[in-house]
Amino acid sequence: MSLLRVEGLKVAFGGVQALKGVSFTVEPGEVFSLIGPNGAGKTTLFNIVSGIYKADAGKVFVADQDVTGLEPHRLAARGLSRTFQNLQVFPRMTAAENVMVGRHLQESHNVLWHLLGLPSVQRDNRTSRARADDLLALVGLSDYADTDASAMPYGALKRLEIARALAAEPKLLLLDEPAAGCNAVETQELEEVIAEIARSGITVVLVEHDMKLVMRISRRIHVLNHGETLAEGPPDRIRLDPKVIEAYLGVHAAEVAA
Amino acid sequence: MAEFVQFAFAGLTIGAVYALVALGFTIIYNASDVVNFSQGEFVMLGGMTTVFLGLWGLPLPVAALGAIVVTVVVGLLLHRLAIEPARGASAVTLIIITIGASIFLRGLAQVVYDKQFHRLPSFSGDDPIRLLGASILPQSLWVLGGAVVIVTGLWAFMNRTLIGKALVATAANRLAAKLVGIDTSIIMALSFGLSAAIGAIAGLLITPITLTSYDAGTMLALKGFAAAMLGGMGNPIGAVVGGIVVGLLEAFSAGYISSSYKDAVAFIVILAVLFVAPNGLFGRAKVERV
Amino acid sequence: MKLAQRYLPVLIIAAIWLVLPLFFSSGYHFRVATLVWTAALAVIGLNLLMGFAGQVSLGHAGFGGLGAYAVAVLPTHFGVPPLLAFAIGVVAAGLIAFVIGRPILKLKGHYLAVATLGMGILAYMVFLNEARLTGGPDGMAVPRLELFGTRIRAIETWYWIAGAAMVLGALLAVNLVNSPTGRALRAIHDSEVAAKVVGVDVARAKLVVFVISAIYAAIAGALLAWLSAFVNPDIAGFLHSIELVTMVVLGGMGSIVGSVVGAAVLTLLPQLLTAFADYKHLVIGLILMTVMIFMRDGIVPTLLKLIRRRGS
């Protein structure tokens, strides 16, 4: 059983064909990376898989169930969670509250109970807060627990999104350029966090530009260029693939490598 | 048949006013993304100021000119004092500001002028013209003619003059316009002034038929907005077409269905457009990037 | 969050309500305060929608009008007992909000603003035109509420009823804010897409808060109709809707205490400036513009920020 399978995804925006028919499979427990030059369609693909865009053609399967076209919150209920390239934190809420929102599906939804402020609601609040504290500790943000997200530095916010995504207890975690804007130390810490996540059994799909991070952490890499698959395979093979080198560095570099 | 022509003319006449209000909305919206709820007050000010300048001793043509000038000044002040300081605010904040401005202007008119209904004399008398069995007021023809002149003049301005083209450029892409040296701040002020002038002239044209009072602005703004939405927010041709359609729908439903809910037509149009085709007849959908 | 800290806004409001009559020397004082309490109830509900969930409603007085005309029309023309009429009005407001909420809340920004505005005006027009039932523009008398055999007429009694309703409304609102629903609403305000992605059913959450705020407004409208023994279409009018928004914005979006402050300022202002009636539009328009341009957070949050900055 694959955890994520995309088949023949095609989407166009205006006159631009962003994805031209992309397919791949992600196995449970692996760290699978999606790379490619800017404009290759990686974030678009994430947006389709997480239900924010609808593809013009193609299917998405989570745990072998067809989830094509489902709303994002229904996908979350199927165990899918993600972070955003352009940060979508909740700036007016504290770090702890941001992560607590991540636990929404585990909390009660009875609005009447909420209005009445019953003890069960208070229990929900306490449990969510405790879990948020644990996750903030995991990503190293315990000091910011009661700080408004708007007052937190950029690098911290990237980790906050990961903590929030984890609060949803996902089976599948999509990370969209988590290392963007991070220095070497931060990237190292990020790598440890991702490894810890993978060790806990969560399948990770990573979109990244930081090649060292990608090569070290991925089991398999899928390369996109201009909305099409260029290559797929383990890091060692991808590193030497002439088509990949050409896409990133140009024809001459590919000739040199060959 | 005569009835139909009667209603049609009534609809076209008031539709021309809605078209002008919608056009004013569109000009400001295109230049600055602001939905200017005070658009209706410009029409009110055009009529009311002419009336009162006339009452205070000025001959009517001078009063009319004065009214247009006053309204343009009000439009420029609105931009400078209420819109400029709120740059970057959310769409809802801006519309609430313009609603506040419209209420303020209404209150000002109430205090400076009065709370009565007022009329202006028709430009060329009140003897009805018979057309296809219906009685048409000569003022109706002035309204329609005036609207045509304004729309044509605007078109010429946008396509034949440099400033007009700068306005169109700012509407298309504000950043690019800035980069080629257009002072977008002046363009936005210009858009407010222009919309105010158009509104004032519309007020002048219609007051002999519909009368005016300090609170005539709200309904006009809402109906003009309905027209702009119907035509596709931001599309000038759509604004004009939308205005005519709303005017006709109003006149026919008042004539054939019920006249007490005549005003409801515009709101039903707004809601229908928002729910069925939010981009209106001529608008284009926008894609949001995440 | 400790119990006292969480309920502090409610305790403050309740304390003021309980203590204020000690300073009253006439029925007039009771009347003004009662008007503030009824307005505050509607404003708290509207604040849940605007301040916490980040939506906008420029037609909310329409729901208030529904509650008010329910307790006017049903007893007068259909012999319905006032209390039952009240229940019907409130339920009707909730149902209507539920039905129109789904399509309307899909809209955003100025589209949502104008849609709610249009809805409010349509409601006003119905109250204005159905003169046989509603008395038209001249309005109609409202039969008094009867509880345990006595007609409730004295303004002092209404002070306690309206105040209690407001405190209860504040209590429920605070509970809601400090619950998973409250967090979901605040999340929607900050980033709808992120809220969706963590599993929040955004459409449902918006609908829930819209219905709740409609119910608050309907209850407030009914109370107002009862204590005035009179209602006219202006209660559902555009200006009244804008007044409610001004109260939210002035007092502070997202602040329960701010809702009461905003209601108090805009209710007291006309009482303090006797010539105000003529200048009502001018002043409301000016307040709205100034607050939205220069003090977008509103009075209470701005004060709290200043205090916090002085403290640190």
Side-chain angles (χ1 to χ4, degrees), chain C residues 11 29 47 49 63 65 67-68 99 108 114 122 131 166 174 178 191-192 207 230 257 262 273 310:
Chain C
L11 293 172
H29 294 153
N47 212 337
L49 181 69
F63 292 122
V99 168
K108 303 217 175 75
V114 177
L122 280 173
M166 173 196 60
V174 166
N178 291 302
S191 169
E192 253 189 60
L207 189 60
F230 175 76
V257 171
L273 311 168
R310 291 286 166 78

Side-chain angles (χ1 to χ4, degrees), chain A residues 50 52 71-74 76-77 80-84 88-94 97 100-105 107-111 113-118 121-122 124-125 128 164-165 168, chain C residues 1 3 6-7 48 51 54 171-204 208 212 216 297 308:
Chain A
S50 57
I52 294 170
E71 294 278 310
H73 64 271
R74 299 222 185 279
L80 195 152
S81 212
R82 71 166 289 181
T83 64
F84 291 90
Q88 293 282 342
V89 294
F90 306 125
R92 272 176 283 221
M93 298 173 84
T94 65
E97 287 170 334
M100 284 166 81
V101 176
R103 266 191 56 92
H104 184 79
L105 287 170
E107 296 171 322
S108 88
H109 293 165
N110 191 322
V111 183
W113 276 201
H114 296 166
L115 280 167
L116 296 173
L118 297 179
V121 180
Q122 307 311 334
D124 250 347
N125 286 342
S128 289
R164 182 180 69 191
Chain C
M1 211 194 232
L3 211 71
R6 193 187 331 130
Y7 288 116
L48 284 173
L171 181 65
L172 295 179
V174 166
N175 282 336
L176 189 68
V177 170
N178 291 302
S179 75
T181 302
R183 285 191 291 277
L185 289 174
R186 291 165 62 205
I188 291 173
H189 192 176
D190 279 356
S191 169
E192 253 189 60
V193 67
K196 279 188 201 170
V197 147
V198 299
V200 174
D201 187 342
V202 169
R204 180 180 171 271
V208 161
I212 291 176
Y216 270 69
D297 284 339
R308 234 173 265 158

Side-chain angles (χ1 to χ4, degrees), chain B residues 51-142:
Chain B
V51 167
F52 275 81
L53 285 178
L55 286 177
W56 293 334
L58 289 175
L60 237 47
V62 180
L65 220 59
I68 298 177
V69 169
V70 166
T71 311
V72 169
V73 170
V74 167
L76 292 172
L77 284 174
L78 173 65
H79 169 254
R80 192 69 186 74
L81 298 175
I83 308 293
E84 269 273 303
R87 295 279 224 98
S90 72
V92 174
T93 305
L94 284 166
I95 201 179
I96 293 183
I97 292 176
T98 62
I99 289 179
S102 111
I103 295 181
F104 176 77
L105 288 171
R106 196 196 308 184
L108 204 57
Q110 185 184 348
V111 163
V112 173
Y113 301 143
D114 68 17
K115 295 169 82 157
Q116 317 287 1
F117 280 97
H118 291 280
R119 192 180 172 269
L120 283 172
S122 305
F123 293 6
S124 57
D126 289 312
D127 293 322
I129 303 170
R130 298 222 56 114
L131 189 68
L132 299 173
S135 292
I136 315 291
L137 288 169
Q139 192 64 25
S140 274
L141 297 176
W142 278 104

